[in-house]
Amino acid sequence: MNLITEALERGESTLSEHASKQLLAAYGIPVTREVEVLRPEDLAGALDEVGFPMVLKACGARFTHKTERGLVRVDLRTREEALRAFEAIWPEAEQAAGSVLVQEMVGGRRELVAGLTRDPQFGPCVMFGLGGIFTEILRDVVFRVAPVTERDAQDMFSEIKGRRILDAVRGMPPADRDHLARILIALGRIGLEHPRVKEIDVNPLILDAERPVAVDALVVLGD
Amino acid sequence: MSATSPTYDLDPLFRPRTVAVIGASDNPGKLGYHVMKSLIEGGFEGEILPVNAKAERVMGLAAYPSVEACPSRIDLGIVVVPAAAVPTVLEQCIRKKVGGLVLISAGFKEIEDPAGARQQEALKAMAVVNGIPVIGPNTFGMINLHHRLNASFTPEFSLAGKGGIALVSQSGGMSHLLAFLAMNAGIGFSKIIGLGNRLNLDFAEILPYLASDPDTRVIALYIEGLDEPRPLLEAAESVRGKKPVLVYKTGAASTGDQASMSHTGSLAGRHEIYSGAFHQAGMLTVDGSEAMLDLGKALNVCSLPRGGRIAILTGQAGPGMAAADACEALGLEIARFGSATQSEVDRLLPPLAMRTNPVDMGPAWYDSGAIQGIMRAVLEDEGVDGIILLMMYASANREVVPVLSGLLNEWRQRKPLVSCLVSPAGIWDEAVRELEEGRALANYPTPERAAEAMAGLCRYACLSNTEWRAL
């Protein structure tokens, strides 16, 4: 993948959110519809293309904890809100030679996490669990060694303690487990096919009704 | 990985005809004394050859100055000499073509001095090149109860019941703990194996042997850490669905040590990855010593359920509620009886009792015919995958367990039946023990542990069956 070699050549240890999602999308993992704005004059076109409501985020190899740094603005509903958000984020993005992502706002309250880590003994391992702020609080995650099979993935869904989040709850449809399984299988494949990918973190992976969408993603590179 | 590791013939180790104790002694202050005692008191039926440089006789048996001086061919050598003497002994055993070794001697990889690890590497190279299988070093030994072979320094292991569970452990202390707990609970073993420092026999080498061992029905592994996990995963995959492999893995506390930029990386504790990998290879993980034995017993005795729909039959309401709560928390389903079953239960019990699942059979204490009728109807119900039977002793229901024996022995686990039959010592113990030995049921001291054993059977059924994954 050019994305990976280019980032390594630039001496970067992570892919930007946008590049991370391009890698995931190449493996069939559904990601948010988004436009990367590299210059302020491109903003207007991006707003038109993505449509409201939307999310604006700083994007670049150096932005790993965007929310904590105030570099994410969500649920922007008007052009004015979007412009104000851009003005707030752009200076820092520009300074870091980054960009601003204009992203569709994904509706859905169920947040999952999926990822890949490279274990010194087991090799690439795929992770699945509860996402968003619950990832760190509950640590309700399970792992499988790649390659992950359809059955492994389905087992992972029933192994998390919060498994009922995937059922039909509070008027929300049951999660599309087959679709989720394909995501976990794909993460395992990336791990096996790209030795330089050290970790992948898809968090949150939001259930938009029944459909999982990678709303944020981080690919960490290594030797 | 497995292709490059040599395979060994382990029969001389586990089913030897001739055993040499290298370092045998009459001095109770030496391990060589305790090993001799284990072999003799354990009733080993083959030939025992003590090897001792100075003594002519040990424990009344003719002793030899070296392995090579022994007149007969030796299947198994048990080595208890100091670490410094081990290389020489190994060379002699190789020249003598000893079939396999239990290397009890300590002072190798486990010591702080790196010389210990280097010495172990040298021994390993020698053993691998010459194709001699070695259990240990730094082990208490190994016991094959069906062969009356106690090749350990703990004679009391011979008192363990003969049964279907093979325990393979990385820790001598945990082997002793689990074996003694099991003895007290009346749980029997086929083999107890202490792997120690794993010179050239590791879990991956032992597993296929146990999988083809007719005396072993359940394989229980106690694991702290593995140098190379993949061979074990491959070995487990190869026995998947043939025999249950239980794993108790400790070492969860030392996880989360790697700094990481991502959630995935920082959450990837070794323990989480181990348990995921074990599950993936079809091994059933348990989270404690008690759970290991409870589930080992259930898997040894019970047939596997076809689903997770459970019937709870109880002699008193309270324990039935406790079992129902535990079942629900464990993801089991409280079965709905078929109409024929329900009308039979309604016919046999007065309306004042709980008559839908869980069934309170209390009002039928004095009517063993009614209890048998209810049991039979529920056992035969197509909508029930497993039964939990609970009965607390009272003077008035004393005869219930003996009366049920006939039916349960006849039924013999066509569906899994776990129970919590509890009385003061000396009342039901004998009847319960006979039912367990006849594999009619697996009994537990509490409703919660009975429910956990049932849930474990279901989890294993899911793991070994590609079609079903309800839990």
Side-chain angles (χ1 to χ4, degrees):
Chain A
M1 270 258 160
N2 289 338
L3 288 167
I4 297 169
T5 40
E6 284 165 16
L8 288 168
E9 277 164 15
R10 286 194 300 271
E12 291 166 358
S13 61
T14 60
L15 296 186
S16 73
E17 176 180 342
H18 191 60
S20 295
K21 283 179 180 166
Q22 285 177 303
L23 173 62
L24 299 183
Y27 280 80
I29 297 174
V31 299
T32 43
R33 198 158 44 78
E34 62 191 30
V35 176
E36 186 174 31
V37 176
L38 294 160
R39 302 173 306 170
E41 48 269 43
D42 297 337
L43 178 65
L47 299 184
D48 290 339
E49 196 176 332
V50 173
F52 296 97
M54 63 173 59
V55 176
L56 261 62
K57 286 178 181 173
C59 176
R62 281 166 52 187
F63 297 125
T64 46
H65 293 283
K66 297 181 284 274
T67 309
E68 293 83 336
R69 292 165 61 182
L71 298 176
V72 179
R73 303 293 159 104
V74 302
D75 201 18
L76 304 171
R77 290 174 176 273
T78 63
R79 219 170 168 82
E80 291 66 41
E81 282 178 21
L83 289 171
R84 270 203 303 278
F86 184 80
E87 280 162 19
I89 297 171
W90 175 251
E92 224 173 307
E94 189 182 29
Q95 211 186 359
S99 60
V100 170
L101 287 183
V102 176
Q103 209 167 74
E104 70 171 312
M105 175 87 194
V106 174
R109 285 173 292 148
R110 290 180 288 179
E111 300 193 347
L112 306 169
V113 62
L116 177 88
T117 186
R118 204 169 282 280
D119 180 85
Q121 287 179 314
F122 289 96
C125 297
V126 173
M127 179 251 245
F128 174 76
L130 294 189
I133 60 165
F134 296 116
T135 307
E136 276 157 277
I137 298 171
L138 300 177
R139 295 182 67 96
D140 187 8
V141 295
V142 291
F143 288 83
R144 287 292 185 274
V145 179
V148 171
T149 65
E150 165 75 28
R151 178 183 181 156
D152 292 331
Q154 298 288 347
D155 280 346
M156 291 170 86
F157 303 148
S158 52
E159 231 174 277
I160 57 166
K161 293 182 204 79
R163 55 188 160 271
R164 288 190 53 209
I165 201 171
L166 303 178
D167 297 344
V169 278
R170 295 193 157 225
M172 296 181 279
D176 183 342
R177 287 164 188 258
D178 294 335
H179 206 151
L180 275 175
R182 286 200 294 277
I183 293 174
L184 301 184
I185 293 165
L187 286 169
R189 270 185 55 209
I190 298 176
L192 291 169
E193 291 171 16
H194 298 284
R196 303 300 294 270
V197 171
K198 195 172 149 232
E199 286 169 22
I200 300 175
D201 195 20
V202 183
N203 191 13
L205 177 69
I206 289 187
L207 289 178
D208 177 6
E210 75 284 345
R211 186 181 74 107
V213 185
V215 169
D216 197 354
L218 172 69
V219 173
V220 182
L221 305 173
D223 300 324
Chain B
M1 264 166 273
S2 58
T4 57
S5 70
T7 52
Y8 300 96
D9 176 12
L10 301 186
D11 257 348
L13 265 178
F14 290 112
R15 312 175 69 85
R17 275 169 302 186
T18 307
V19 180
V21 180
I22 301 142
S25 172
D26 270 319
N27 175 358
K30 304 248 181 197
L31 284 180
Y33 165 86
H34 299 277
V35 171
M36 286 297 292
K37 198 166 177 252
S38 294
L39 280 169
I40 294 167
E41 289 182 0
F44 179 62
E45 284 157 350
E47 194 180 0
I48 303 171
L49 302 167
V51 173
N52 182 310
K54 291 164 203 152
E56 288 194 4
R57 300 189 79 77
V58 174
M59 290 198 179
L61 297 171
Y64 300 89
S66 73
V67 181
E68 287 173 288
C70 291
S72 36
R73 161 187 167 78
I74 297 167
D75 297 314
L76 167 64
I78 307 175
V79 182
V80 280
V81 299
V86 169
T88 311
V89 167
L90 180 55
E91 280 169 27
Q92 291 172 339
C93 289
I94 286 166
R95 282 200 298 271
K96 177 75 180 169
K97 295 193 162 35
V98 172
L101 293 180
V102 169
L103 184 48
I104 291 178
S105 309
F108 298 94
K109 205 177 171 182
E110 80 280 8
I111 62 170
E112 265 181 52
D113 186 345
R118 282 198 300 274
Q119 232 193 343
Q120 182 168 326
E121 278 309 303
L123 291 178
K124 178 178 177 173
M126 218 193 302
V128 169
V129 167
N130 292 285
I132 183 168
V134 181
I135 290 182
N138 187 30
T139 172
F140 65 87
M142 154 273 277
I143 301 93
N144 181 357
L145 287 140
H146 293 261
H147 196 65
R148 304 189 67 149
L149 170 74
N150 183 345
S152 83
F153 58 57
T154 305
E156 291 73 16
F157 277 133
S158 306
L159 303 173
K162 219 191 273 187
I165 303 174
L167 172 65
V168 189
S169 169
Q170 218 174 325
S171 149
M174 289 301 286
S175 304
H176 283 70
L177 170 71
L178 292 166
F180 299 154
L181 282 176
M183 279 184 213
N184 293 336
I187 297 171
F189 292 101
S190 59
K191 293 174 180 61
I192 304 170
I193 303 164
L195 290 181
N197 291 8
R198 298 166 289 153
L199 192 74
N200 63 348
L201 292 186
D202 207 332
F203 292 103
E205 285 74 33
I206 300 280
L207 201 60
Y209 182 78
L210 294 174
S212 62
D213 174 23
D215 299 326
T216 298
R217 268 198 293 267
V218 181
I219 303 168
L221 312 179
Y222 171 79
I223 298 177
E224 287 170 358
L226 299 167
D227 302 324
E228 283 185 59
R230 293 243 176 204
L232 171 59
L233 301 181
E234 285 161 20
E237 191 62 55
S238 74
V239 310
R240 185 182 194 127
K242 292 181 197 139
K243 278 182 194 177
V245 180
L246 276 174
V247 182
Y248 178 23
K249 162 90 174 64
T250 56
S254 57
T255 60
D257 46 357
Q258 67 191 108
S260 172
M261 275 187 277
S262 78
H263 283 107
T264 315
S266 60
L267 291 173
R270 309 285 300 133
H271 200 68
E272 285 75 13
I273 293 179
Y274 264 112
S275 60
F278 288 157
H279 194 138
Q280 213 168 359
M283 294 188 263
L284 190 57
T285 55
V286 294
D287 56 10
S289 306
E290 197 175 70
M292 175 94 137
L293 294 173
D294 281 358
L295 192 43
K297 175 159 92 173
L299 288 164
N300 184 43
V301 167
C302 300
S303 57
L304 289 180
R306 294 214 190 106
R309 299 165 304 174
I310 306 305
I312 298 169
L313 303 179
T314 182
Q316 292 94 347
M321 304 303 285
D325 284 357
C327 282
E328 207 164 278
L330 291 159
L332 296 167
E333 193 185 324
I334 308 298
R336 276 182 70 91
F337 292 147
S339 56
T341 311
Q342 192 60 59
S343 53
E344 182 70 352
V345 174
D346 290 346
R347 187 177 71 78
L348 291 166
L349 285 179
L352 56 98
M354 288 192 313
R355 299 195 293 183
T356 53
N357 192 14
V359 177
D360 177 6
M361 304 190 294
W365 272 9
Y366 302 98
D367 184 355
S368 54
I371 287 191
Q372 289 207 47
I374 295 165
M375 288 285 312
R376 192 177 290 281
V378 171
L379 289 168
E380 285 172 359
D381 190 319
E382 291 289 333
V384 172
D385 300 311
I387 297 102
I388 300 178
L389 172 66
L390 312 135
M391 194 79 68
M392 306 307 116
Y393 168 83
S395 194
N397 69 11
R398 186 179 186 112
E399 292 314 310
V400 167
V401 171
V403 161
L404 283 177
S405 293
L407 171 63
L408 297 180
N409 274 320
E410 172 209 331
W411 178 265
R412 193 80 50 123
Q413 296 282 2
R414 272 183 281 155
K415 282 174 194 168
L417 173 61
V418 300
S419 66
C420 170
L421 305 172
V422 179
S423 72
I427 299 180
W428 284 345
D429 326 10
E430 192 59 17
V432 169
R433 197 183 56 77
E434 275 172 23
L435 284 168
E436 283 196 327
E437 277 177 7
R439 302 176 69 204
L441 53 75
N443 193 55
Y444 296 92
T446 67
E448 298 82 4
R449 277 167 71 181
E452 273 167 35
M454 183 61 81
L457 289 173
C458 289
R459 277 200 294 140
Y460 179 67
C462 293
L463 276 178
S464 57
N465 176 345
T466 47
E467 296 302 311
W468 182 55
R469 38 169 185 260
L471 281 180

